[in-house]
Amino acid sequence: MSDAAPLPPSADAVATLPLAGVLGWPIAHSRSPALHGHWLARYGIAGHYVPLTVAPDHLAQVLRTLPLAGFVGVNVTIPHKEAVLALADVVTDRAALIGAANTLIFRPDGRIHADNTDGYGFLANLRQHAPDWHPEIEPAAVIGAGGAARAVVASLIEAGVPELRIANRTRIRAEQIKAEFGAKIVVYDWAQLGNMLDGAGTVVNATSAGMAGRPALRLPMEALAPGTLVTDLVYNPLVTPFLEEAAARGAVTVDGLGMLLHQAAPGFERWFGQRPEVDEAARAAVLA
Ligand code: NAP
């Protein structure tokens, strides 16, 4: 009998368990682990998706270390969405245009690939819940000019809107979007918010106003035509005061939860090799 210690297995002999997660600061509120956990269980995939609390000062170090521990990628959320662009090796055109990434893929060659799937999630949600929506016919009106609004603007332009009206409480941020996204953008003053709705076929709240515990978004809706597609990126509560009033005026309303579900699907597919279904069960998993 030998008393030599057993040799550790070679790296090749160790089966890796795919890991993914969401990086934020703070992160406890995130519903992403519930969603990805639901999909992993549903497809019988032996992997895990975990919340990762990462301070801004540690972001670069954590991103270089995670692949060594079996992570195949991560989602990133506030406050890291912009900072990751400088840390990634490959940035997609749309993430560069939006100026933020929410999905990172750790490639086998060690390179970090950054993408932004918020705009995809936004459009996929509307196509799923308002199949008769035709964005290319009438102008769209976007309220807000933060990171989420930039993704919405990029996707609406891609969807072919003839004109994109935008207003933001801090006007300069809307002007900046016009400077970057071009001729289709028309900036409205915050005091003229109600006028933006005149003749619009699509209206989007991309501000955080209306979130639980925060003041509602207040705007005169007299100019809103029945049948207009109205959506809110805020999904807590699911029916915001803004959506409630739009529905009372005959608008077709779509809540923001579906965007959260759809934006998650491309990352899950890249990391775990299965395109997940965005259905009632996924919605219920996030709401549970
Ligand atoms: P952000 O970059 O911090 O931008 C916040 C935006 O909201 C800015 O335009 C800001 O205007 C505006 N705002 C904040 N409080 C306001 C108030 N009381 N009245 C009017 N405008 C106000 O945030 P973000 O990442 O763009 O996110 C915006 C919202 O979208 C958040 O509620 C977020 O949870 C939601 N979101 C949802 C999804 C989804 O999947 N459904 C995805 C991404 C984001 P100023 O520039 O004047 O400050």
Side-chain angles (χ1 to χ4, degrees), residues 94 97-98 119-120 122-123 126-127 133 135-142 149-166 174 176-186 202 204:
R94 62 184 165 185
L97 182 67
I98 293 164
Y120 162 78
F122 171 76
L123 284 184
L126 298 186
R127 302 241 187 250
W133 176 59
E136 66 284 358
I137 296 174
E138 289 156 315
V142 176
R150 294 175 70 89
V152 165
V153 166
S155 67
L156 285 173
I157 289 176
E158 198 182 306
V161 290
E163 175 185 310
L164 197 149
R165 303 166 178 178
I166 187 164
Q176 186 62 37
I177 288 183
K178 179 174 174 56
E180 289 176 43
F181 287 83
K184 281 190 176 177
I185 312 278
V186 181
T202 308
V204 186

mmCIF file of all heavy atoms in Angstrom, residues 94 97-98 119-120 122-123 126-127 133 135-142 149-166 174 176-186 202 204:
data_model
loop_
_atom_site.group_PDB
_atom_site.id
_atom_site.type_symbol
_atom_site.label_atom_id
_atom_site.label_comp_id
_atom_site.label_asym_id
_atom_site.label_seq_id
_atom_site.Cartn_x
_atom_site.Cartn_y
_atom_site.Cartn_z
ATOM 1 N N ARG A 94 -24.580 47.083 -31.449
ATOM 2 C CA ARG A 94 -25.750 47.675 -30.766
ATOM 3 C C ARG A 94 -25.409 48.058 -29.330
ATOM 4 O O ARG A 94 -25.896 49.067 -28.828
ATOM 5 C CB ARG A 94 -26.975 46.767 -30.851
ATOM 6 C CG ARG A 94 -26.817 45.431 -30.202
ATOM 7 C CD ARG A 94 -28.035 44.571 -30.411
ATOM 8 N NE ARG A 94 -27.703 43.193 -30.095
ATOM 9 C CZ ARG A 94 -28.515 42.191 -30.271
ATOM 10 N NH1 ARG A 94 -29.704 42.378 -30.761
ATOM 11 N NH2 ARG A 94 -28.137 40.964 -29.952
ATOM 12 N N LEU A 97 -23.600 51.327 -29.607
ATOM 13 C CA LEU A 97 -24.521 52.417 -29.935
ATOM 14 C C LEU A 97 -25.338 52.829 -28.715
ATOM 15 O O LEU A 97 -25.522 54.018 -28.434
ATOM 16 C CB LEU A 97 -25.452 51.969 -31.068
ATOM 17 C CG LEU A 97 -26.458 52.983 -31.585
ATOM 18 C CD1 LEU A 97 -25.741 54.140 -32.281
ATOM 19 C CD2 LEU A 97 -27.443 52.327 -32.563
ATOM 20 N N ILE A 98 -25.807 51.835 -27.972
ATOM 21 C CA ILE A 98 -26.620 52.119 -26.782
ATOM 22 C C ILE A 98 -25.736 52.683 -25.668
ATOM 23 O O ILE A 98 -26.167 53.491 -24.852
ATOM 24 C CB ILE A 98 -27.357 50.829 -26.329
ATOM 25 C CG1 ILE A 98 -28.399 50.429 -27.394
ATOM 26 C CG2 ILE A 98 -28.018 50.992 -24.970
ATOM 27 C CD1 ILE A 98 -28.908 49.005 -27.271
ATOM 28 N N GLY A 119 -33.080 46.036 -26.094
ATOM 29 C CA GLY A 119 -33.884 46.451 -27.247
ATOM 30 C C GLY A 119 -34.580 45.255 -27.876
ATOM 31 O O GLY A 119 -35.759 45.323 -28.250
ATOM 32 N N TYR A 120 -33.864 44.150 -27.985
ATOM 33 C CA TYR A 120 -34.483 42.918 -28.490
ATOM 34 C C TYR A 120 -35.670 42.522 -27.594
ATOM 35 O O TYR A 120 -36.755 42.190 -28.084
ATOM 36 C CB TYR A 120 -33.443 41.776 -28.540
ATOM 37 C CG TYR A 120 -34.112 40.435 -28.630
ATOM 38 C CD1 TYR A 120 -34.625 39.981 -29.839
ATOM 39 C CD2 TYR A 120 -34.304 39.656 -27.482
ATOM 40 C CE1 TYR A 120 -35.311 38.777 -29.899
ATOM 41 C CE2 TYR A 120 -34.980 38.459 -27.543
ATOM 42 C CZ TYR A 120 -35.481 38.021 -28.749
ATOM 43 O OH TYR A 120 -36.174 36.847 -28.805
ATOM 44 N N PHE A 122 -37.421 44.387 -25.624
ATOM 45 C CA PHE A 122 -38.501 45.375 -25.757
ATOM 46 C C PHE A 122 -39.386 45.036 -26.963
ATOM 47 O O PHE A 122 -40.608 44.950 -26.855
ATOM 48 C CB PHE A 122 -37.873 46.766 -25.906
ATOM 49 C CG PHE A 122 -38.847 47.846 -26.251
ATOM 50 C CD1 PHE A 122 -39.694 48.366 -25.285
ATOM 51 C CD2 PHE A 122 -38.914 48.347 -27.543
ATOM 52 C CE1 PHE A 122 -40.612 49.358 -25.608
ATOM 53 C CE2 PHE A 122 -39.824 49.335 -27.870
ATOM 54 C CZ PHE A 122 -40.669 49.844 -26.901
ATOM 55 N N LEU A 123 -38.758 44.809 -28.110
ATOM 56 C CA LEU A 123 -39.530 44.527 -29.332
ATOM 57 C C LEU A 123 -40.231 43.161 -29.253
ATOM 58 O O LEU A 123 -41.385 43.023 -29.650
ATOM 59 C CB LEU A 123 -38.627 44.545 -30.561
ATOM 60 C CG LEU A 123 -38.174 45.900 -31.082
ATOM 61 C CD1 LEU A 123 -37.376 45.721 -32.364
ATOM 62 C CD2 LEU A 123 -39.341 46.853 -31.316
ATOM 63 N N LEU A 126 -43.426 43.380 -27.302
ATOM 64 C CA LEU A 126 -44.537 44.024 -28.022
ATOM 65 C C LEU A 126 -45.069 43.108 -29.123
ATOM 66 O O LEU A 126 -46.274 43.006 -29.335
ATOM 67 C CB LEU A 126 -44.086 45.364 -28.609
ATOM 68 C CG LEU A 126 -43.646 46.411 -27.578
ATOM 69 C CD1 LEU A 126 -43.371 47.740 -28.248
ATOM 70 C CD2 LEU A 126 -44.696 46.587 -26.481
ATOM 71 N N ARG A 127 -44.170 42.418 -29.808
ATOM 72 C CA ARG A 127 -44.621 41.525 -30.894
ATOM 73 C C ARG A 127 -45.439 40.372 -30.312
ATOM 74 O O ARG A 127 -46.383 39.890 -30.941
ATOM 75 C CB ARG A 127 -43.421 40.994 -31.663
ATOM 76 C CG ARG A 127 -42.543 42.101 -32.267
ATOM 77 C CD ARG A 127 -42.478 42.019 -33.774
ATOM 78 N NE ARG A 127 -41.513 42.956 -34.319
ATOM 79 C CZ ARG A 127 -41.836 44.045 -35.011
ATOM 80 N NH1 ARG A 127 -43.093 44.344 -35.235
ATOM 81 N NH2 ARG A 127 -40.907 44.844 -35.484
ATOM 82 N N TRP A 133 -49.455 45.283 -33.917
ATOM 83 C CA TRP A 133 -48.701 46.553 -33.844
ATOM 84 C C TRP A 133 -47.824 46.728 -35.089
ATOM 85 O O TRP A 133 -47.094 45.813 -35.472
ATOM 86 C CB TRP A 133 -47.838 46.517 -32.581
ATOM 87 C CG TRP A 133 -46.923 47.683 -32.385
ATOM 88 C CD1 TRP A 133 -47.273 49.000 -32.289
ATOM 89 C CD2 TRP A 133 -45.508 47.626 -32.222
ATOM 90 N NE1 TRP A 133 -46.135 49.765 -32.081
ATOM 91 C CE2 TRP A 133 -45.043 48.948 -32.033
ATOM 92 C CE3 TRP A 133 -44.570 46.590 -32.203
ATOM 93 C CZ2 TRP A 133 -43.702 49.255 -31.840
ATOM 94 C CZ3 TRP A 133 -43.235 46.894 -32.012
ATOM 95 C CH2 TRP A 133 -42.808 48.208 -31.830
ATOM 96 N N PRO A 135 -45.128 49.395 -36.115
ATOM 97 C CA PRO A 135 -44.359 50.580 -35.716
ATOM 98 C C PRO A 135 -43.971 51.481 -36.872
ATOM 99 O O PRO A 135 -43.673 52.663 -36.680
ATOM 100 C CB PRO A 135 -43.109 49.970 -35.065
ATOM 101 C CG PRO A 135 -43.000 48.589 -35.612
ATOM 102 C CD PRO A 135 -44.400 48.137 -35.858
ATOM 103 N N GLU A 136 -43.970 50.936 -38.093
ATOM 104 C CA GLU A 136 -43.457 51.706 -39.226
ATOM 105 C C GLU A 136 -44.471 52.710 -39.782
ATOM 106 O O GLU A 136 -44.132 53.497 -40.662
ATOM 107 C CB GLU A 136 -42.975 50.744 -40.326
ATOM 108 C CG GLU A 136 -44.031 49.909 -41.009
ATOM 109 C CD GLU A 136 -44.560 48.730 -40.185
ATOM 110 O OE1 GLU A 136 -44.084 48.504 -39.051
ATOM 111 O OE2 GLU A 136 -45.479 48.047 -40.657
ATOM 112 N N ILE A 137 -45.704 52.712 -39.256
ATOM 113 C CA ILE A 137 -46.730 53.569 -39.852
ATOM 114 C C ILE A 137 -46.762 54.975 -39.240
ATOM 115 O O ILE A 137 -46.784 55.967 -39.951
ATOM 116 C CB ILE A 137 -48.120 52.894 -39.743
ATOM 117 C CG1 ILE A 137 -48.108 51.603 -40.575
ATOM 118 C CG2 ILE A 137 -49.222 53.830 -40.231
ATOM 119 C CD1 ILE A 137 -49.354 50.771 -40.459
ATOM 120 N N GLU A 138 -46.754 55.044 -37.899
ATOM 121 C CA GLU A 138 -46.898 56.360 -37.252
ATOM 122 C C GLU A 138 -45.696 56.667 -36.360
ATOM 123 O O GLU A 138 -44.953 55.756 -35.976
ATOM 124 C CB GLU A 138 -48.181 56.371 -36.405
ATOM 125 C CG GLU A 138 -49.437 56.393 -37.239
ATOM 126 C CD GLU A 138 -50.628 55.825 -36.469
ATOM 127 O OE1 GLU A 138 -50.490 54.773 -35.819
ATOM 128 O OE2 GLU A 138 -51.682 56.452 -36.528
ATOM 129 N N PRO A 139 -45.536 57.935 -35.963
ATOM 130 C CA PRO A 139 -44.425 58.290 -35.072
ATOM 131 C C PRO A 139 -44.514 57.553 -33.730
ATOM 132 O O PRO A 139 -45.602 57.168 -33.302
ATOM 133 C CB PRO A 139 -44.610 59.799 -34.849
ATOM 134 C CG PRO A 139 -45.443 60.264 -35.986
ATOM 135 C CD PRO A 139 -46.325 59.121 -36.369
ATOM 136 N N ALA A 140 -43.369 57.367 -33.102
ATOM 137 C CA ALA A 140 -43.320 56.817 -31.752
ATOM 138 C C ALA A 140 -42.914 57.926 -30.792
ATOM 139 O O ALA A 140 -42.173 58.838 -31.171
ATOM 140 C CB ALA A 140 -42.312 55.675 -31.687
ATOM 141 N N ALA A 141 -43.416 57.841 -29.555
ATOM 142 C CA ALA A 141 -43.069 58.829 -28.519
ATOM 143 C C ALA A 141 -42.420 58.104 -27.352
ATOM 144 O O ALA A 141 -43.014 57.181 -26.788
ATOM 145 C CB ALA A 141 -44.323 59.569 -28.063
ATOM 146 N N VAL A 142 -41.198 58.499 -27.022
ATOM 147 C CA VAL A 142 -40.466 57.864 -25.917
ATOM 148 C C VAL A 142 -40.257 58.894 -24.818
ATOM 149 O O VAL A 142 -39.731 59.975 -25.069
ATOM 150 C CB VAL A 142 -39.103 57.313 -26.402
ATOM 151 C CG1 VAL A 142 -38.297 56.750 -25.240
ATOM 152 C CG2 VAL A 142 -39.308 56.242 -27.476
ATOM 153 N N ALA A 149 -33.954 53.829 -22.117
ATOM 154 C CA ALA A 149 -34.522 54.596 -23.235
ATOM 155 C C ALA A 149 -33.629 54.486 -24.463
ATOM 156 O O ALA A 149 -34.118 54.382 -25.598
ATOM 157 C CB ALA A 149 -34.690 56.059 -22.836
ATOM 158 N N ARG A 150 -32.328 54.485 -24.278
ATOM 159 C CA ARG A 150 -31.400 54.391 -25.415
ATOM 160 C C ARG A 150 -31.594 53.056 -26.154
ATOM 161 O O ARG A 150 -31.565 53.005 -27.390
ATOM 162 C CB ARG A 150 -29.956 54.540 -24.945
ATOM 163 C CG ARG A 150 -29.647 55.918 -24.381
ATOM 164 C CD ARG A 150 -28.241 55.975 -23.809
ATOM 165 N NE ARG A 150 -27.246 55.917 -24.858
ATOM 166 C CZ ARG A 150 -26.742 56.981 -25.495
ATOM 167 N NH1 ARG A 150 -27.143 58.193 -25.154
ATOM 168 N NH2 ARG A 150 -25.857 56.848 -26.436
ATOM 169 N N ALA A 151 -31.813 51.982 -25.396
ATOM 170 C CA ALA A 151 -32.046 50.681 -26.030
ATOM 171 C C ALA A 151 -33.381 50.678 -26.777
ATOM 172 O O ALA A 151 -33.494 50.135 -27.889
ATOM 173 C CB ALA A 151 -32.043 49.578 -24.965
ATOM 174 N N VAL A 152 -34.386 51.326 -26.190
ATOM 175 C CA VAL A 152 -35.702 51.419 -26.826
ATOM 176 C C VAL A 152 -35.602 52.227 -28.124
ATOM 177 O O VAL A 152 -36.144 51.827 -29.167
ATOM 178 C CB VAL A 152 -36.723 52.053 -25.844
ATOM 179 C CG1 VAL A 152 -37.984 52.494 -26.558
ATOM 180 C CG2 VAL A 152 -37.049 51.073 -24.714
ATOM 181 N N VAL A 153 -34.897 53.343 -28.066
ATOM 182 C CA VAL A 153 -34.737 54.195 -29.255
ATOM 183 C C VAL A 153 -34.050 53.399 -30.374
ATOM 184 O O VAL A 153 -34.509 53.387 -31.525
ATOM 185 C CB VAL A 153 -33.930 55.469 -28.903
ATOM 186 C CG1 VAL A 153 -33.465 56.190 -30.159
ATOM 187 C CG2 VAL A 153 -34.779 56.401 -28.036
ATOM 188 N N ALA A 154 -32.975 52.716 -30.040
ATOM 189 C CA ALA A 154 -32.249 51.933 -31.054
ATOM 190 C C ALA A 154 -33.172 50.886 -31.685
ATOM 191 O O ALA A 154 -33.178 50.711 -32.907
ATOM 192 C CB ALA A 154 -31.037 51.251 -30.418
ATOM 193 N N SER A 155 -33.980 50.220 -30.874
ATOM 194 C CA SER A 155 -34.812 49.146 -31.416
ATOM 195 C C SER A 155 -35.982 49.700 -32.230
ATOM 196 O O SER A 155 -36.372 49.110 -33.237
ATOM 197 C CB SER A 155 -35.304 48.216 -30.295
ATOM 198 O OG SER A 155 -36.191 48.902 -29.465
ATOM 199 N N LEU A 156 -36.533 50.843 -31.813
ATOM 200 C CA LEU A 156 -37.642 51.420 -32.586
ATOM 201 C C LEU A 156 -37.160 51.922 -33.945
ATOM 202 O O LEU A 156 -37.860 51.801 -34.950
ATOM 203 C CB LEU A 156 -38.313 52.554 -31.795
ATOM 204 C CG LEU A 156 -39.221 52.101 -30.634
ATOM 205 C CD1 LEU A 156 -39.687 53.295 -29.814
ATOM 206 C CD2 LEU A 156 -40.428 51.317 -31.154
ATOM 207 N N ILE A 157 -35.962 52.463 -33.985
ATOM 208 C CA ILE A 157 -35.402 52.893 -35.276
ATOM 209 C C ILE A 157 -35.178 51.669 -36.161
ATOM 210 O O ILE A 157 -35.530 51.663 -37.346
ATOM 211 C CB ILE A 157 -34.110 53.710 -35.063
ATOM 212 C CG1 ILE A 157 -34.482 55.070 -34.462
ATOM 213 C CG2 ILE A 157 -33.339 53.884 -36.372
ATOM 214 C CD1 ILE A 157 -33.321 55.947 -34.099
ATOM 215 N N GLU A 158 -34.665 50.621 -35.558
ATOM 216 C CA GLU A 158 -34.460 49.364 -36.295
ATOM 217 C C GLU A 158 -35.795 48.800 -36.804
ATOM 218 O O GLU A 158 -35.871 48.222 -37.882
ATOM 219 C CB GLU A 158 -33.797 48.360 -35.351
ATOM 220 C CG GLU A 158 -33.135 47.182 -36.007
ATOM 221 C CD GLU A 158 -32.565 46.252 -34.942
ATOM 222 O OE1 GLU A 158 -31.782 46.728 -34.085
ATOM 223 O OE2 GLU A 158 -32.918 45.064 -34.960
ATOM 224 N N ALA A 159 -36.862 49.012 -36.007
ATOM 225 C CA ALA A 159 -38.186 48.514 -36.394
ATOM 226 C C ALA A 159 -38.840 49.389 -37.463
ATOM 227 O O ALA A 159 -39.930 49.072 -37.953
ATOM 228 C CB ALA A 159 -39.089 48.428 -35.163
ATOM 229 N N GLY A 160 -38.212 50.518 -37.802
ATOM 230 C CA GLY A 160 -38.684 51.313 -38.938
ATOM 231 C C GLY A 160 -39.634 52.444 -38.613
ATOM 232 O O GLY A 160 -40.375 52.891 -39.497
ATOM 233 N N VAL A 161 -39.637 52.963 -37.372
ATOM 234 C CA VAL A 161 -40.547 54.091 -37.092
ATOM 235 C C VAL A 161 -40.188 55.267 -38.000
ATOM 236 O O VAL A 161 -39.010 55.547 -38.238
ATOM 237 C CB VAL A 161 -40.500 54.549 -35.611
ATOM 238 C CG1 VAL A 161 -41.122 53.526 -34.699
ATOM 239 C CG2 VAL A 161 -39.108 54.916 -35.161
ATOM 240 N N PRO A 162 -41.216 55.970 -38.524
ATOM 241 C CA PRO A 162 -40.918 57.086 -39.429
ATOM 242 C C PRO A 162 -40.360 58.304 -38.697
ATOM 243 O O PRO A 162 -39.654 59.122 -39.290
ATOM 244 C CB PRO A 162 -42.281 57.402 -40.055
ATOM 245 C CG PRO A 162 -43.288 56.860 -39.099
ATOM 246 C CD PRO A 162 -42.670 55.712 -38.388
ATOM 247 N N GLU A 163 -40.722 58.442 -37.404
ATOM 248 C CA GLU A 163 -40.265 59.590 -36.607
ATOM 249 C C GLU A 163 -40.227 59.135 -35.151
ATOM 250 O O GLU A 163 -41.089 58.360 -34.739
ATOM 251 C CB GLU A 163 -41.269 60.742 -36.772
ATOM 252 C CG GLU A 163 -40.985 61.953 -35.909
ATOM 253 C CD GLU A 163 -42.097 63.015 -36.047
ATOM 254 O OE1 GLU A 163 -42.462 63.377 -37.188
ATOM 255 O OE2 GLU A 163 -42.612 63.462 -35.003
ATOM 256 N N LEU A 164 -39.246 59.596 -34.406
ATOM 257 C CA LEU A 164 -39.179 59.217 -32.999
ATOM 258 C C LEU A 164 -39.104 60.474 -32.132
ATOM 259 O O LEU A 164 -38.125 61.208 -32.181
ATOM 260 C CB LEU A 164 -37.978 58.307 -32.736
ATOM 261 C CG LEU A 164 -38.086 57.549 -31.415
ATOM 262 C CD1 LEU A 164 -37.405 56.199 -31.498
ATOM 263 C CD2 LEU A 164 -37.510 58.354 -30.255
ATOM 264 N N ARG A 165 -40.181 60.697 -31.383
ATOM 265 C CA ARG A 165 -40.249 61.873 -30.509
ATOM 266 C C ARG A 165 -39.736 61.474 -29.132
ATOM 267 O O ARG A 165 -40.065 60.377 -28.647
ATOM 268 C CB ARG A 165 -41.702 62.336 -30.388
ATOM 269 C CG ARG A 165 -42.319 62.632 -31.737
ATOM 270 C CD ARG A 165 -43.824 62.754 -31.626
ATOM 271 N NE ARG A 165 -44.419 63.086 -32.913
ATOM 272 C CZ ARG A 165 -45.726 63.214 -33.116
ATOM 273 N NH1 ARG A 165 -46.576 63.034 -32.106
ATOM 274 N NH2 ARG A 165 -46.187 63.523 -34.305
ATOM 275 N N ILE A 166 -38.990 62.370 -28.510
ATOM 276 C CA ILE A 166 -38.438 62.028 -27.202
ATOM 277 C C ILE A 166 -38.471 63.258 -26.296
ATOM 278 O O ILE A 166 -38.248 64.377 -26.758
ATOM 279 C CB ILE A 166 -37.009 61.450 -27.341
ATOM 280 C CG1 ILE A 166 -36.507 60.930 -25.989
ATOM 281 C CG2 ILE A 166 -36.016 62.462 -27.925
ATOM 282 C CD1 ILE A 166 -35.302 60.015 -26.122
ATOM 283 N N ALA A 174 -31.902 64.064 -23.733
ATOM 284 C CA ALA A 174 -32.670 63.779 -24.959
ATOM 285 C C ALA A 174 -31.946 64.373 -26.170
ATOM 286 O O ALA A 174 -31.879 63.756 -27.240
ATOM 287 C CB ALA A 174 -34.080 64.349 -24.833
ATOM 288 N N GLN A 176 -28.804 64.724 -26.454
ATOM 289 C CA GLN A 176 -27.646 63.851 -26.688
ATOM 290 C C GLN A 176 -28.068 62.641 -27.534
ATOM 291 O O GLN A 176 -27.351 62.221 -28.450
ATOM 292 C CB GLN A 176 -27.090 63.388 -25.325
ATOM 293 C CG GLN A 176 -25.810 62.593 -25.397
ATOM 294 C CD GLN A 176 -24.659 63.389 -25.991
ATOM 295 O OE1 GLN A 176 -24.550 64.588 -25.733
ATOM 296 N NE2 GLN A 176 -23.836 62.747 -26.793
ATOM 297 N N ILE A 177 -29.248 62.101 -27.236
ATOM 298 C CA ILE A 177 -29.750 60.959 -28.025
ATOM 299 C C ILE A 177 -29.979 61.394 -29.475
ATOM 300 O O ILE A 177 -29.625 60.681 -30.413
ATOM 301 C CB ILE A 177 -31.026 60.372 -27.372
ATOM 302 C CG1 ILE A 177 -30.619 59.633 -26.084
ATOM 303 C CG2 ILE A 177 -31.770 59.454 -28.344
ATOM 304 C CD1 ILE A 177 -31.739 58.944 -25.354
ATOM 305 N N LYS A 178 -30.526 62.581 -29.657
ATOM 306 C CA LYS A 178 -30.720 63.074 -31.036
ATOM 307 C C LYS A 178 -29.375 63.191 -31.745
ATOM 308 O O LYS A 178 -29.235 62.776 -32.901
ATOM 309 C CB LYS A 178 -31.434 64.431 -31.022
ATOM 310 C CG LYS A 178 -31.624 64.987 -32.422
ATOM 311 C CD LYS A 178 -32.452 66.232 -32.438
ATOM 312 C CE LYS A 178 -32.499 66.847 -33.824
ATOM 313 N NZ LYS A 178 -32.982 65.960 -34.882
ATOM 314 N N ALA A 179 -28.382 63.701 -31.053
ATOM 315 C CA ALA A 179 -27.059 63.881 -31.665
ATOM 316 C C ALA A 179 -26.461 62.535 -32.081
ATOM 317 O O ALA A 179 -25.796 62.433 -33.103
ATOM 318 C CB ALA A 179 -26.135 64.597 -30.684
ATOM 319 N N GLU A 180 -26.753 61.486 -31.306
ATOM 320 C CA GLU A 180 -26.144 60.181 -31.591
ATOM 321 C C GLU A 180 -26.978 59.318 -32.538
ATOM 322 O O GLU A 180 -26.434 58.536 -33.301
ATOM 323 C CB GLU A 180 -25.934 59.418 -30.282
ATOM 324 C CG GLU A 180 -24.827 60.023 -29.427
ATOM 325 C CD GLU A 180 -24.701 59.308 -28.094
ATOM 326 O OE1 GLU A 180 -24.762 58.071 -28.080
ATOM 327 O OE2 GLU A 180 -24.578 60.004 -27.073
ATOM 328 N N PHE A 181 -28.314 59.443 -32.460
ATOM 329 C CA PHE A 181 -29.167 58.523 -33.218
ATOM 330 C C PHE A 181 -29.712 59.113 -34.514
ATOM 331 O O PHE A 181 -30.264 58.379 -35.324
ATOM 332 C CB PHE A 181 -30.306 57.990 -32.343
ATOM 333 C CG PHE A 181 -29.859 56.988 -31.315
ATOM 334 C CD1 PHE A 181 -29.331 57.389 -30.099
ATOM 335 C CD2 PHE A 181 -29.957 55.623 -31.562
ATOM 336 C CE1 PHE A 181 -28.911 56.468 -29.153
ATOM 337 C CE2 PHE A 181 -29.536 54.691 -30.623
ATOM 338 C CZ PHE A 181 -29.013 55.104 -29.411
ATOM 339 N N GLY A 182 -29.605 60.454 -34.670
ATOM 340 C CA GLY A 182 -29.849 60.998 -35.991
ATOM 341 C C GLY A 182 -31.189 61.614 -36.284
ATOM 342 O O GLY A 182 -31.986 61.914 -35.395
ATOM 343 N N ALA A 183 -31.422 61.768 -37.578
ATOM 344 C CA ALA A 183 -32.433 62.675 -38.111
ATOM 345 C C ALA A 183 -33.875 62.332 -37.738
ATOM 346 O O ALA A 183 -34.736 63.216 -37.748
ATOM 347 C CB ALA A 183 -32.301 62.723 -39.627
ATOM 348 N N LYS A 184 -34.160 61.076 -37.447
ATOM 349 C CA LYS A 184 -35.557 60.721 -37.137
ATOM 350 C C LYS A 184 -35.999 61.226 -35.758
ATOM 351 O O LYS A 184 -37.169 61.210 -35.420
ATOM 352 C CB LYS A 184 -35.721 59.205 -37.157
ATOM 353 C CG LYS A 184 -35.842 58.630 -38.552
ATOM 354 C CD LYS A 184 -36.233 57.170 -38.490
ATOM 355 C CE LYS A 184 -36.440 56.623 -39.883
ATOM 356 N NZ LYS A 184 -36.752 55.186 -39.856
ATOM 357 N N ILE A 185 -35.034 61.652 -34.946
ATOM 358 C CA ILE A 185 -35.358 62.030 -33.565
ATOM 359 C C ILE A 185 -35.823 63.481 -33.505
ATOM 360 O O ILE A 185 -35.170 64.377 -34.049
ATOM 361 C CB ILE A 185 -34.110 61.882 -32.652
ATOM 362 C CG1 ILE A 185 -33.426 60.526 -32.855
ATOM 363 C CG2 ILE A 185 -34.469 62.160 -31.191
ATOM 364 C CD1 ILE A 185 -33.996 59.380 -32.144
ATOM 365 N N VAL A 186 -36.945 63.693 -32.817
ATOM 366 C CA VAL A 186 -37.449 65.048 -32.577
ATOM 367 C C VAL A 186 -37.559 65.226 -31.060
ATOM 368 O O VAL A 186 -38.268 64.454 -30.408
ATOM 369 C CB VAL A 186 -38.839 65.256 -33.227
ATOM 370 C CG1 VAL A 186 -39.336 66.670 -32.981
ATOM 371 C CG2 VAL A 186 -38.788 64.935 -34.718
ATOM 372 N N THR A 202 -47.197 54.741 -31.142
ATOM 373 C CA THR A 202 -46.501 53.975 -30.109
ATOM 374 C C THR A 202 -46.059 54.958 -29.029
ATOM 375 O O THR A 202 -45.469 55.990 -29.360
ATOM 376 C CB THR A 202 -45.220 53.322 -30.703
ATOM 377 O OG1 THR A 202 -45.569 52.597 -31.883
ATOM 378 C CG2 THR A 202 -44.548 52.400 -29.701
ATOM 379 N N VAL A 204 -44.075 55.104 -25.159
ATOM 380 C CA VAL A 204 -43.293 54.300 -24.224
ATOM 381 C C VAL A 204 -42.891 55.128 -23.012
ATOM 382 O O VAL A 204 -42.290 56.196 -23.168
ATOM 383 C CB VAL A 204 -41.984 53.799 -24.898
ATOM 384 C CG1 VAL A 204 -41.230 52.846 -23.975
ATOM 385 C CG2 VAL A 204 -42.269 53.156 -26.247
#
